Amino acid sequence: MTVGAIAVLYFAKSVFIPISLGILLSFVLGPLVEIVERLRIGRVAAVICVLAICSIALTLMIWVLGAQSIELSNNLRQYESNIERRVEQLRALIPTGLEKAKDVIEKIEQQVLNPDEKADEGIDEADGTDETAGDTESSNRKPAEAGKLKSGNPISQTPLETGKSNNDELKPEQPPVAEPVKVAVVADSTNPFAMVIGLVNPVLAPMATAGIVIVLAIFILLDEGDFRKRLIRLFDSGGDDSVETAFLEASERSMTWLRTMFLINAIYGVAVAIGLYAFGLPNAPLWGFIAFSCRFVPYVGPWIGAAIPILLSLGVFEGWGRLLGIGAMYVVYELCVNLVLEPLLYGRSLGLTSLGIIIAAIFWTWIWGPAGLVIAVPMTLWLVVLGKYIPHFSQFTILFGDSSESSSRS
């Protein structure tokens, strides 16, 4: 049964990914809708107001980040020579022995992978030797022939000896027959319609997925109570209140995780922007937002967000001090977040072990790719909480839950 469920999740990921992301987005926007709904303007009006506010904020953010990106692309030409000089400095740090060993390995690979080229070189060398020998023989023959001419015995060649007749000698040489020219029909690559299709086609699928996610989240927010009741009826087979309690607890924990993660990532992004501005790196707000966004991806996200500013600092700064300082800044920030902020703000509210989060991230990334990495923590959190109340999900509580969860289940 478990293998069948995994197979369904894998092969039907195009259906489950938008549904999961839509539910997750509804959890993110749910508290804002409840706050606006307290103004007694109705559920529909509250959802519309929240969507309008989010759209305006997203538009302003895209505008600011777009301006930062354009400024960065215009300044990249200035950093090109500095980056080339840094690369040469790094190559100079490589020991001479390693360079020689690298050259030897490359030659061996060339001989092993391309033996035909070596054989062709040997044939060329043999042909050159034969031509040299022929030239030597002809040079040795010329004095002997000259001696015969001087002695009165000219060398005569008759048509029988040469194998040619006089008529053959008088015939003009026929020009070589030209091969027919091959004509190929090539499509016009400058067609503007084809260019537009080539640019738009790669982003059609992500845009369609994003549209489905937004529409699904809107409908969930418009009738959140009915959607929750339907899910409870789907899993409730005993007629008791345990499933409803599990859903309420899972929802509360998911909202706690999202709020806490947003707060931690916001603090992290602002700290990164301030630190990079203090070091003098251009476009510090852009790198702060990238750090904020990438940190929603567990474990690998922060280092993806740190890689671009560190590489850019190779071309911006002359020395190595500020480059090493930026790298050390990211390490210190990450240690502070992992050892201070997350234990302080999360506490026991998450209910997952560190090993469980890692295993869940690996599994959901294998099943659903990058989208699975984003929803790995909330999805595993729901499974762990449901395992406390529903026997069919108890194995998830045992595998991924912390000690308090396992003890409460037993």
Side-chain angles (χ1 to χ4, degrees):
M1 183 177 179
T2 303
V3 176
I6 294 175
V8 170
L9 290 174
Y10 180 78
F11 290 106
K13 58 184 177 182
S14 59
V15 176
F16 287 111
I17 288 177
I19 295 175
S20 303
L21 293 177
I23 296 174
L24 184 62
L25 182 61
S26 66
F27 276 111
V28 173
L29 300 179
L32 298 178
V33 174
E34 292 178 359
I35 292 173
V36 177
E37 195 177 8
R38 292 174 186 173
L39 301 176
R40 297 181 180 180
I41 61 175
R43 185 75 178 183
V44 177
V47 172
I48 294 175
C49 290
V50 170
L51 291 176
I53 294 172
C54 292
S55 301
I56 294 172
L58 183 62
T59 303
L60 292 175
M61 182 182 63
I62 292 175
W63 180 73
V64 173
L65 295 177
Q68 294 279 316
S69 302
I70 293 173
E71 181 183 354
L72 175 64
S73 62
N74 293 332
N75 295 332
L76 284 178
R77 290 286 184 180
Q78 304 175 6
Y79 311 141
E80 185 177 355
S81 59
N82 200 5
I83 292 175
E84 292 177 355
R85 185 168 61 254
R86 290 298 183 85
V87 172
E88 293 296 331
Q89 291 177 0
L90 290 175
R91 292 184 63 181
L93 295 176
I94 300 176
T96 309
L98 294 179
E99 284 285 346
K100 293 181 179 180
K102 179 183 176 182
D103 295 338
V104 172
I105 293 174
E106 289 179 354
K107 290 180 180 179
I108 294 174
E109 289 180 353
Q110 186 176 3
Q111 292 177 0
V112 173
L113 298 178
N114 301 319
D116 296 336
E117 296 181 1
K118 189 68 177 178
D120 293 340
E121 293 178 359
I123 293 173
D124 294 339
E125 292 176 358
D127 293 342
T129 306
D130 295 340
E131 291 176 359
T132 306
D135 294 340
T136 306
E137 292 177 0
S138 62
S139 61
N140 294 332
R141 194 183 300 116
K142 285 180 180 179
E145 294 176 354
K148 290 183 180 180
L149 289 173
K150 288 181 181 180
S151 61
N153 296 324
I155 301 174
S156 60
Q157 292 181 352
T158 62
L160 295 175
E161 293 174 351
T162 58
K164 293 182 180 180
S165 63
N166 294 331
N167 296 331
D168 294 337
E169 293 177 357
L170 296 176
K171 289 182 179 180
E173 296 182 357
Q174 296 181 355
V177 180
E179 296 181 357
V181 179
K182 297 181 180 180
V183 179
V185 179
V186 181
D188 186 9
S189 60
T190 61
N191 187 0
F193 183 75
M195 294 176 61
V196 172
I197 293 297
L199 293 174
V200 174
N201 192 34
V203 297
L204 285 179
M207 289 177 61
T209 303
I212 294 172
V213 168
I214 294 173
V215 171
L216 182 61
I218 291 173
F219 279 96
I220 292 175
L221 290 173
L222 288 175
D223 201 356
E224 184 179 4
D226 183 68
F227 179 74
R228 183 179 300 175
K229 290 178 181 178
R230 291 177 184 273
L231 287 179
I232 291 173
R233 290 177 59 187
L234 180 64
F235 288 93
D236 190 5
S237 58
D240 54 1
D241 297 334
S242 59
V243 177
E244 185 176 359
T245 305
F247 270 81
L248 291 175
E249 183 177 347
S251 302
E252 184 63 28
R253 287 198 185 187
S254 299
M255 291 306 307
T256 302
W257 174 78
L258 288 172
R259 288 194 296 264
T260 307
M261 178 63 71
F262 186 88
L263 178 61
I264 292 175
N265 292 354
I267 296 173
Y268 181 82
V270 171
V272 167
I274 294 174
L276 294 179
Y277 180 79
F279 277 107
L281 190 70
N283 309 107
L286 176 63
W287 312 127
F289 175 78
I290 290 177
F292 163 78
S293 303
C294 291
R295 217 181 177 284
F296 281 97
V297 179
Y299 302 107
V300 298
W303 304 114
I304 294 174
I308 302 176
I310 292 175
L311 293 176
L312 182 64
S313 61
L314 284 172
V316 175
F317 305 127
E318 294 293 335
W320 295 92
R322 283 189 281 187
L323 170 64
L324 297 177
I326 290 175
M329 179 196 73
Y330 276 100
V331 173
V332 171
Y333 282 174
E334 209 39 49
L335 291 175
C336 291
V337 169
N338 291 329
L339 300 179
V340 178
L341 281 180
E342 289 184 349
L344 182 63
L345 296 178
Y346 280 142
R348 287 288 184 180
S349 61
L350 193 59
L352 299 177
T353 61
S354 300
L355 181 60
I357 294 175
I358 295 174
I359 295 174
I362 295 173
F363 173 78
W364 289 109
T365 304
W366 171 63
I367 292 293
W368 288 351
L373 188 60
V374 173
I375 65 175
V377 174
M379 186 70 71
T380 309
L381 179 61
W382 268 78
L383 293 175
V384 168
V385 175
L386 290 176
K388 292 174 57 180
Y389 301 94
I390 303 176
H392 297 291
F393 295 94
S394 60
Q395 62 268 22
F396 297 106
T397 304
I398 297 172
L399 291 175
F400 304 124
D402 58 10
S403 56
S404 60
E405 301 289 344
S406 301
S407 60
S408 63
R409 175 60 189 163
S410 60

